[in-house]
Amino acid sequence: MNSTADLLGHHRAELRASGLSDETIAASGIRSETNHAALRLLLTWPAMPKRMSSGIVFRFRDSSGNFNGYSRFKPDAPRKDQNGKSIKYESPRGQPNHIYIPPTTVAALADPSVMLLIPEGEKKTLAGAQAGFACIGLVGVFGWKDSKRERLLPELELIEWKGRPVRIVFDSDITSNPNVLDAECRLAAQLTNRGAIVRVVRLPDGPNGEKMGLDDFLLMHGIDKLWELINAAEPPAAVDSGTAKADASQLDAMCEARRILAASATHKEGHEELLKLKTYRGSFWWYTGTHYREEADTDLEATIIQFLDASFRKLTKTAVSNVSLCLKSETNV
């Protein structure tokens, strides 16, 4: 756990301005960084401008609550994009996106009865968690995607979605920004395909018409008013089913096999997690809860198709067969 002593005064003041307490700040592991060489390594960016050598580092956790080595940086002097707009946060170059998981959310990831709030940004996510909600944050409105492919990040795939209530809480500019609305619809479709009960929360603009995020809303209106918005949340706008899925030509058979195995992990025996699926002498065996029984190839094929159908369109027999072969490779006894 970090201490607020790891933060420069103006960084701590910025976090407090989002309503974050010193306890929340310390538990999150947020720190200041002013070493240019250290930041170049952190962001894998050899040519990082020296004027960006001071800012806030947000460290990311995995679903077990451990820091995973991924961090984002909020520079005091941000650079600008080609349109002159400031780039507020910098992510490590050449690395995939990750979801931001506050320490208080970790236990909720495996319990589908717990409602999850999904805002955009680390400070907003921490503000929601501090208010008592289970929150996972995106690094941007399209931060749920696996690169350019229309599918969830592997970390999101590991969360138990079936039957889970989910509330997407993007910033108030969603009503005037078609790009943000498109991201919301497509994320909602992905989660709905996995069995989640998705609703969207509409935050109002600020008193002067400025954009408002979850942290701003909680600071201005409090938890009770947020609950009112959550209770009034509406179903997301429909999205074309073809748009919500990636083409099966993008399918990585080994990656999908490992996702199936991760989803099939069951109780722990000793220090190892027991997989429901094993391969013995060329045949699949499925754990029933008390013992393993042989699984017919056709039954397993149906399971694979059902799993892949949530993410991919135009599935082929070859794609399903390749995933099946990878499963045998990964589970062979």
Side-chain angles (χ1 to χ4, degrees):
M1 179 181 293
N2 275 25
S3 162
T4 53
D6 296 317
L7 281 166
L8 296 174
H10 66 288
H11 292 158
R12 184 164 55 249
E14 177 181 333
L15 296 168
R16 285 174 171 172
S18 286
L20 303 182
S21 68
D22 285 347
E23 292 75 16
T24 295
I25 295 168
S28 69
I30 300 171
R31 62 180 176 83
S32 295
E33 182 58 78
T34 58
N35 185 296
H36 184 256
L39 285 169
R40 286 169 55 194
L41 290 174
L42 182 75
L43 299 176
T44 58
W45 188 5
M48 191 186 80
K50 284 195 174 183
R51 65 181 181 81
M52 290 171 53
S53 295
S54 174
I56 304 174
V57 173
F58 293 87
R59 302 167 68 194
F60 282 54
R61 285 179 164 83
D62 60 25
S63 58
S64 298
N66 301 312
F67 290 118
N68 62 11
Y70 182 91
S71 297
R72 287 219 303 165
F73 177 60
K74 187 175 187 298
D76 292 341
R79 62 190 176 96
K80 297 184 184 297
D81 64 15
Q82 58 186 5
N83 297 317
K85 183 179 179 181
S86 293
I87 300 174
K88 294 182 180 180
Y89 289 82
E90 299 286 353
S91 299
R93 299 196 166 193
Q95 296 187 37
N97 290 327
H98 287 267
I99 56 173
Y100 188 71
I101 306 173
T104 54
T105 296
V106 172
L109 299 181
D111 184 354
S113 68
V114 178
M115 179 177 68
L116 279 181
L117 265 58
I118 305 181
E120 45 176 310
E122 293 88 335
K123 291 191 292 183
K124 299 161 192 176
T125 305
L126 287 172
Q130 180 177 277
F133 298 94
C135 295
I136 54 173
L138 306 179
V139 298
V141 293
F142 279 104
W144 50 269
K145 290 181 63 175
D146 182 6
S147 186
K148 294 182 179 180
R149 293 178 289 182
E150 192 73 16
R151 49 167 289 183
L152 295 178
L153 294 172
E155 293 168 314
L156 287 171
E157 292 286 9
L158 295 178
I159 296 173
E160 181 58 59
W161 296 110
K162 190 172 182 179
R164 185 190 293 274
V166 175
R167 301 294 179 264
I168 301 175
V169 194
F170 285 169
D171 293 352
S172 64
D173 66 337
I174 190 170
T175 57
S176 59
N177 191 329
N179 187 57
V180 178
L181 182 60
D182 180 47
E184 178 192 75
C185 295
R186 289 158 68 177
L187 169 59
Q190 292 283 343
L191 298 180
T192 299
N193 285 342
R194 288 155 181 75
I197 304 165
V198 184
R199 299 291 183 269
V200 295
V201 175
R202 290 288 177 258
L203 299 176
D205 287 333
N208 298 313
E210 67 273 22
K211 181 173 75 171
M212 181 176 288
L214 181 57
D215 53 346
D216 305 315
F217 183 88
L218 283 167
L219 199 60
M220 186 172 296
H221 300 288
I223 299 173
D224 290 344
K225 288 294 184 182
L226 178 58
W227 267 114
E228 289 181 14
L229 294 184
I230 290 173
N231 292 332
E234 299 179 351
V239 63
D240 179 74
S241 59
T243 305
K245 296 181 182 181
D247 194 278
S249 62
Q250 300 177 357
L251 188 152
D252 182 321
M254 183 60 78
C255 176
E256 297 309 316
R258 288 170 177 165
R259 287 205 303 128
I260 291 172
L261 292 177
S264 74
T266 180
H267 69 275
K268 290 185 178 181
E269 290 191 350
H271 298 289
E272 295 186 358
E273 203 162 37
L274 183 65
L275 294 178
K276 288 183 180 178
L277 190 65
K278 298 285 188 183
T279 305
Y280 179 64
R281 292 184 176 177
S283 297
F284 284 110
W285 294 75
W286 191 263
Y287 189 69
T288 66
T290 58
H291 65 281
Y292 280 92
R293 62 171 171 76
E294 191 171 3
E295 181 86 349
D297 285 349
T298 52
D299 291 340
L300 183 69
E301 184 179 86
T303 299
I304 293 173
I305 291 173
Q306 184 179 27
F307 186 88
L308 296 177
D309 184 61
S311 302
F312 298 97
R313 63 180 181 273
K314 299 181 181 179
L315 284 174
T316 64
K317 188 173 182 178
T318 299
V320 175
S321 177
N322 288 342
V323 174
S324 179
L325 287 173
C326 289
L327 281 172
K328 285 187 177 180
S329 172
E330 289 292 285
T331 61
N332 190 50
V333 177

